[in-house]
């Protein structure tokens, strides 16, 4: 279906003609009930959508558009295990990873018939928990008999971003006796730095790769294995390497015992996989109980997303507002600004979730879209961003819708020490800055307000803030494992909502393939002793030639 040809699309387009007139000062002045009506509580999250440039009429039209796009049906299809990832012919079942035991969700089995996945998920998680408890208790020992002190996760994309983000986010819940490192970049300095102060005898590698074919991960895993075996010998691999993958054959071929492989399934997308065995290193760090709490947080949002009518469905509304800005109002980017140092990797994590999902230009039927799809997602934790790019947010020529994330209490884990007076003072300053940014962006400071404040009139244009810059504020009591799970699922479901309205497939990622195959072709050309064929475009050929000259190899053909 060409959604852009529907009357619902036409209605939203017509409303967007008045976007410039939608002033937040006036919207608030005219409507005393606005905050109450547009603030939603779901789980522990308070989601304040009142500072968005939308009227009731706009929201009703957006919900009608979502209905026309078949969002309800699509959500049910996803959660029931239908193969909605049509370009890869796969089900999409990250929600099954956090479904309670006893739920039945079936997919087509390899040998025909339907197979329940929830039982398999729970039995895998039990294996993960047993393993992680052994590592945490010092019962899983290395080749020399020494307990494990460091878990090094080797993976990239979804096999890195989720666990590394959550490891930072849940720092207050980690066991101090066990630390994790995350190695993703094929730049050898990533691995070298991670290993520089480690003892092979107390190091455990988790090679995390859904496909077990990703070149960066395999290159790092091979180097890590060499680092280990140089110190402890070949037999040490069995005690120091485990894998997370769908690809048993490749794991075994690498030299990891299949008994030490934690399975995932093709219906878990990489960027939706933190709650699968890809979260093994996180579970080792925070323990199975905290991991389960994170899953239960996700489940709270899943249940809301599946059951709540679209007009009160918070991830749906947030996703639709994102569609409004990107597609109908022409705003190209979206900033996510957590006021939490522990969430410093959260926006990076969301970049994969959102941009790998919705950075698409053809619809499910293969026809090109003639409207804008996924926005550029970016951001940094506050307050640091305030002293760099927030100038542009406040007074630049581009309007950037922002998500502010703030907690009422500092992170404290199990102890309440962090809630001491000093931490409270810092935290109040942090939260005040968050609220102030959203207020300043929304309401700005007019020329009249500048004049009465006694500012030099010559500087008035520079000291005026246009305001009318929209934002969501998400507030929760504290960054607990459950709240982290709620935040993750909230963004996952927003991402799906947008993809469904745009009629694209948010679950494939063909756009990463061309670069991968060209890199595989270029790598030998950079390093081979004989001159390469130089079968690329003139610019790439010249760069290959220059690289070879700079590394002491010969130039182009015949050189
Ligand atoms: O970059 C593409 C991608 O396929 C991501 O979607 C995925 O998360 C990442 O590579 C890693 O893939 P794998 O887990 O198979 O190594």
């Amino acid at each position: 279906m060409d959604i852009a040809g529907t009357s619902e699309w036409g209605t939203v387009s017509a409303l967007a003609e008045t976007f410039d007139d939608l002033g937040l000062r006036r919207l608030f002045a005219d409507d005393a009930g606005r905050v109450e009506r547009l603030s939603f509580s779901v789980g522990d999250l308070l989601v304040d959508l009142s500072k968005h440039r939308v009227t009731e009429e706009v929201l009703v039209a957006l919900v009608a558009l979502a209905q026309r796009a078949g969002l309800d049906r699509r959500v049910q299809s996803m959660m029931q295990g239908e193969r909605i990832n049509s370009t890869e012919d796969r089900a999409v079942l990250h929600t099954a990873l956090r479904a309670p035991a006893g739920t039945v969700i079936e997919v087509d089995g390899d040998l025909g018939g339907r197979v329940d996945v929830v039982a398999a998920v729970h039995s895998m998680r039990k294996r993960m928990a047993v393993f992680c408890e052994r590592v945490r208790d010092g019962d899983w020992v290395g080749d020399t008999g020494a307990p494990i002190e460091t878990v090094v996760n080797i993976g990239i994309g979804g096999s890195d971003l989720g666990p590394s983000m959550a490891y930072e986010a849940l720092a207050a819940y980690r066991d101090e006796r066990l630390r994790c490192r995350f190695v993703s970049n094929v730049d050898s300095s990533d691995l070298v730095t991670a290993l520089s102060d480690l003892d092979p005898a107390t190091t455990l590698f988790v090679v995390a790769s859904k496909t077990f074919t990703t070149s960066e991960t395999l290159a790092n895993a091979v180097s890590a294995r060499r680092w280990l075996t140089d110190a402890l010998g070949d037999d040490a691999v069995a005690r120091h390497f485990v894998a997370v993958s769908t690809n048993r054959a490749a794991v075994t071929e690498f030299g990891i015992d299949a008994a030490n492989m934690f399975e995932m399934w093709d219906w878990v997308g990489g960027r939706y996989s933190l709650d699968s065995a890809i979260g093994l290193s996180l579970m080792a760090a925070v323990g199975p109980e905290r991991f389960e709490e994170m899953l239960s947080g996700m489940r709270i949002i899943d249940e809301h997303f599946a059951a709540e009518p679209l007009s009160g469905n918070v991830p749906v509304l947030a996703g639709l507002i994102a569609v409004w800005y990107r597609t109908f109002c022409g705003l190209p980017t979206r900033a996510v600004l957590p006021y939490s140092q522990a969430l410093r990797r959260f926006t990076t994590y969301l970049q994969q979730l959102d941009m790998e999902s919705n950075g698409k230009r053809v619809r499910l039927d293969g026809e090109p879209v003639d409207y804008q799809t996924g926005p550029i997602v970016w951001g940094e934790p506050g307050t640091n961003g305030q002293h760099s790019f927030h100038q542009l947010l406040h007074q630049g020529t581009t309007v950037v819708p922002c998500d502010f994330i703030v907690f009422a209490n500092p992170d404290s884990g199990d102890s309440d020490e962090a809630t001491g007076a000093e931490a409270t003072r810092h935290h109040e300053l942090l939260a005040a800055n968050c609220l102030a940014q959203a207020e300043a962006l929304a309401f700005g400071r007019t020329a009249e307000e500048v004049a009465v404040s006694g500012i030099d009139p010559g500087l008035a244009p520079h000291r005026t803030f246009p305001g009318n810059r929209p934002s969501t504020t998400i507030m929760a009591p504290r960054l607990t494992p459950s709240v982290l799970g709620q935040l993750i699922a909230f963004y996952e479901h927003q991402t799906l909502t947008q993809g469904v309205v745009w009629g694209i497939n948010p679950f494939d990622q063909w756009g990463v393939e061309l670069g991968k195959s060209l890199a595989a072709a270029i790598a030998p050309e950079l390093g081979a002793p004989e001159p390469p064929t130089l079968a690329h475009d003139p610019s790439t050929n010249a760069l290959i030639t220059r690289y070879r000259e700079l590394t002491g190899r010969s130039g182009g053909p015949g050189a």
Side-chain angles (χ1 to χ4, degrees), residues 155-159 208-214 217 264 269-271 273 278 352 356 509 512-513 516:
I156 197 164
S159 300
S209 176
K210 178 178 171 181
T211 56
F212 228 79
T213 58
T214 304
T217 298
M264 58 189 294
R271 52 196 176 271
S273 65
I278 289 291
Q352 188 202 15
E356 203 172 65
Q509 56 284 317
V512 303
E513 294 303 327
K516 281 186 193 172

Side-chain angles (χ1 to χ4, degrees), residues 138-449:
D139 177 37
W140 175 283
V141 292
D143 195 56
T144 65
I148 300 301
E149 290 172 3
T150 312
V151 173
V152 179
N153 187 86
I154 298 180
I156 197 164
S159 300
D160 164 70
L161 290 165
S164 63
M165 175 277 289
Y167 179 76
E168 297 298 336
L170 300 181
Y173 297 86
R174 295 192 310 231
D175 186 333
E176 277 169 13
R177 290 166 305 171
L178 192 72
R179 65 187 161 182
C180 292
R181 300 256 165 98
F182 294 86
V183 174
S184 54
N185 201 329
V186 74
D187 183 337
S188 60
S189 73
D190 199 8
L191 182 69
V192 169
T193 309
L195 302 186
S196 62
D197 58 346
L198 299 189
D199 176 358
T202 58
T203 301
L204 175 76
F205 292 97
V206 175
V207 185
S209 176
K210 178 178 171 181
T211 56
F212 228 79
T213 58
T214 304
S215 64
E216 295 96 321
T217 298
L218 293 184
N220 278 323
V222 166
S223 299
R225 188 178 55 195
R226 189 166 309 126
W227 175 83
L228 180 89
T229 56
D230 282 354
L232 301 177
D234 288 350
D235 291 347
V237 171
R239 305 295 309 167
H240 292 267
F241 271 81
V242 301
V244 179
S245 188
T246 56
N247 189 345
R248 192 170 294 271
V251 167
T252 320
E253 200 190 328
F254 178 86
I256 297 174
D257 189 339
N260 293 335
M261 176 181 128
F262 296 87
E263 195 184 8
M264 58 189 294
W265 302 273
D266 72 353
W267 42 261
V268 184
R271 52 196 176 271
Y272 299 87
S273 65
L274 167 61
D275 43 346
S276 72
I278 289 291
L280 190 70
S281 46
L282 174 68
M283 188 192 270
V286 301
E289 215 176 298
R290 300 308 195 184
F291 195 85
E292 288 295 334
E293 283 171 25
M294 182 183 77
L295 300 184
S296 57
M298 292 172 161
R299 199 181 308 137
I300 291 170
I301 305 296
D302 292 347
E303 286 167 0
H304 169 89
F305 185 56
E308 193 66 29
L310 299 187
S311 58
N313 193 310
V314 192
V316 168
L317 292 175
L320 289 175
I321 289 171
V323 171
W324 165 247
Y325 290 134
R326 178 65 187 118
T327 305
F328 295 96
C329 308
L331 306 183
T333 85
R334 170 180 187 185
V336 180
L337 310 168
Y339 273 64
S340 159
Q341 189 62 10
L343 284 185
R344 63 183 168 276
R345 302 269 300 156
F346 192 64
T347 308
T348 312
Y349 166 77
L350 290 184
Q351 285 179 322
Q352 188 202 15
L353 175 64
D354 196 307
M355 295 202 273
E356 203 172 65
S357 295
N358 286 334
K360 314 277 164 71
R361 50 172 284 289
V362 294
R363 302 189 315 232
L364 279 161
D365 61 8
E367 289 298 315
V369 299
D370 59 1
Y371 42 83
Q372 294 293 331
T373 62
I376 295 160
V377 178
W378 60 285
E380 279 287 316
T383 59
N384 295 5
Q386 289 175 211
H387 299 273
S388 62
F389 56 79
H390 279 227
Q391 165 64 41
L392 182 148
L393 297 182
H394 287 287
Q395 291 187 316
T397 51
T398 300
V399 173
V400 181
C402 298
D403 282 9
F404 291 96
I405 303 173
V406 64
F407 303 100
N409 297 286
D411 322 322
S412 69
D414 287 326
S415 92
D416 256 347
E417 270 167 43
T419 52
E422 197 69 357
T424 303
R425 201 167 54 79
H426 276 262
H427 198 76
E428 283 168 4
L429 203 50
L430 176 72
N433 270 281
C434 177
L435 303 186
Q437 290 297 309
E439 182 179 4
L441 285 168
F443 303 108
R445 185 159 62 173
T446 64
E448 295 72 42
E449 287 164 351

